């Protein structure tokens, strides 16, 4: 059974609903995980999603900041809206969804960006980010013969050398500092997660999912970073058939600075 999951930091779901609709019409993923929705739960635009056939909706939001949502064309069941670092800032949502013969536990994450200064002593936002990633060690890739796990989202860290436009120039820039990348990879391995986007892609190949709004011409400069990720439990790797980074979405009208990533599976 073909099954697809899209993940996208939308940077305000209400503001960018036209391009969300475009994604759903043109690509029709089975499940869409959104981050940085910036809307309290009572104002989430459910009707727009239901009109497009996404009748199963879960959200964990707040006014003006952060927020995650998962919408699907098939039933989903909320498992958890976990609070990290004892802060109520709506950065996690997990649901179960059935595909083929498996129950998939799907985590949707929005990791803190961390501010501009990569020093946890003088920058509380950076400390929050490091603490958040440390707590993510508790999120494991649970699986057995009839179940598996997927973790997606804007994880706000580009872990590998070629996940950024310049490894050398970004070593002291938040999202690619050694303390972030080392802790991030240690957390991924501790949870037994597989980085699906790098599974069959050489580490020397550049991969980006984010291009800054600050660039005068994002496409020409191409100074990107891979901040959005798709991970799975090991038992789903044989079912993984590939993924697509929708780079063209960065040029859509009133775009997010992130683009959607769509992962595809063929589940028995």
């Amino acid at each position: 059974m073909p099954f697809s999951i899209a993940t996208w930091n939308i940077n305000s779901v209400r503001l960018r609903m036209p391009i969300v609709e475009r994604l759903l019409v043109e690509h029709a993923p089975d499940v869409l995980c959104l981050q940085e929705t910036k809307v309290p739960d009572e104002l989430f635009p459910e009707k727009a999603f239901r009109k497009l056939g996404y009748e199963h909706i879960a959200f964990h939001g707040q006014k003006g900041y952060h927020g995650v949502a998962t919408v699907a064309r098939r039933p989903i069941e909320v498992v958890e809206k976990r609070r990290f670092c004892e802060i109520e800032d709506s950065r996690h949502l997990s649901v179960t969804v059935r595909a083929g013969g498996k129950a998939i536990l799907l985590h949707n994450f929005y990791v803190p960006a961390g501010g501009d200064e990569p020093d946890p002593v003088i920058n509380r936002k950076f400390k929050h980010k490091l603490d958040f990633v440390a707590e993510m060690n508790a999120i494991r890739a649970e699986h057995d013969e009839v179940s598996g796990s997927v973790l997606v989202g804007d994880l706000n860290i580009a872990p590998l050398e070629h996940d950024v436009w310049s490894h050398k120039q970004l070593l002291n820039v938040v999202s690619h500092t050694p303390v972030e990348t080392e802790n991030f990879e240690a957390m991924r391995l501790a949870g037994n997660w597989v980085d699906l986007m790098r599974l069959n892609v050489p580490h020397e190949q550049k991969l980006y999912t984010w291009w800054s709004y600050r660039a005068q011409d994002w496409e020409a400069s191409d100074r990107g970073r891979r901040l959005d990720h798709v991970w799975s439990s090991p038992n789903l790797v044989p079912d993984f058939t590939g993924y697509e980074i929708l780079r063209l979405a960065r040029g859509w009208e009133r775009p997010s600075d992130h683009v959607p990533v769509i992962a595809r599976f063929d589940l028995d």
Side-chain angles (χ1 to χ4, degrees), residues 209-223:
T209 64
W210 174 91
W211 291 263
S212 175
Y213 285 134
R214 297 175 184 175
Q216 227 174 6
D217 187 334
W218 70 272
E219 192 166 22
S221 62
D222 200 25
R223 295 188 170 191

Side-chain angles (χ1 to χ4, degrees), residues 179-246:
V179 67
E180 291 173 272
T181 60
E182 290 167 11
N183 289 349
F184 184 82
E185 282 293 273
M187 174 271 291
R188 182 182 66 80
L189 293 172
N192 200 25
W193 293 102
V194 178
D195 179 358
L196 295 179
M197 294 176 69
R198 281 292 184 184
L199 190 62
N200 297 310
V201 176
H203 282 206
E204 295 75 27
Q205 181 175 325
K206 294 288 189 183
L207 285 182
Y208 309 145
T209 64
W210 174 91
W211 291 263
S212 175
Y213 285 134
R214 297 175 184 175
Q216 227 174 6
D217 187 334
W218 70 272
E219 192 166 22
S221 62
D222 200 25
R223 295 188 170 191
R225 306 179 203 177
R226 181 173 72 117
L227 303 180
D228 305 271
H229 297 265
V230 180
W231 297 350
S232 82
S233 51
N235 70 322
L236 294 182
V237 170
D239 303 314
F240 177 60
T241 59
Y243 71 93
E244 182 179 5
I245 297 173
L246 298 182

Side-chain angles (χ1 to χ4, degrees), residues 15 31 44 47 86 88 101 118 167 180 183 197 217 257 265:
L15 179 64
V31 182
F44 189 85
K47 288 183 179 179
E86 296 302 313
E88 296 285 359
H167 173 64
E180 291 173 272
N183 289 349
M197 294 176 69
D217 187 334
D257 45 1
F265 301 84

Side-chain angles (χ1 to χ4, degrees), residues 60-76:
H60 184 196
Q62 63 182 98
K63 183 179 179 180
Y65 297 95
H66 319 136
V68 289
T70 300
V71 302
R73 297 191 296 173
R74 60 184 69 196
I76 57 176

Side-chain angles (χ1 to χ4, degrees), residues 51 62 89 93 104 146 169 212 219 223 260:
K51 187 177 179 180
Q62 63 182 98
D89 58 356
L93 171 66
I104 307 298
V146 294
Q169 294 185 63
S212 175
E219 192 166 22
R223 295 188 170 191

Side-chain angles (χ1 to χ4, degrees), residues 3 5 79 94-97 102-108 139-144 146-152 191-196 230-237 239-240 265 267:
F3 176 68
I5 300 171
V79 174
S94 63
V95 304
T96 53
V97 56
K102 287 188 173 68
I104 307 298
L105 176 60
L106 175 58
H107 293 278
N108 182 358
I139 307 295
R140 302 303 172 104
E142 301 173 17
H143 64 282
D144 58 27
V146 294
S147 68
S149 296
V150 174
L151 187 156
V152 303
N192 200 25
W193 293 102
V194 178
D195 179 358
L196 295 179
V230 180
W231 297 350
S232 82
S233 51
N235 70 322
L236 294 182
V237 170
D239 303 314
F240 177 60
F265 301 84
L267 294 159

Side-chain angles (χ1 to χ4, degrees), residues 82-89 128 131-132 135:
R82 185 175 292 214
R83 180 175 67 173
F84 283 78
C85 304
E86 296 302 313
I87 298 173
E88 296 285 359
D89 58 356
H128 179 208
D131 290 346
F132 193 102
E135 283 193 26

Side-chain angles (χ1 to χ4, degrees), residues 146-179:
V146 294
S147 68
S149 296
V150 174
L151 187 156
V152 303
D154 175 8
L155 304 187
N156 259 317
I157 294 173
L160 303 178
E161 179 177 347
H162 295 286
D163 289 340
V164 295
W165 65 272
S166 173
H167 173 64
K168 184 177 180 180
Q169 294 185 63
L170 270 67
L171 273 174
N172 199 40
V173 173
V174 174
S175 79
H176 193 61
T177 64
V179 67

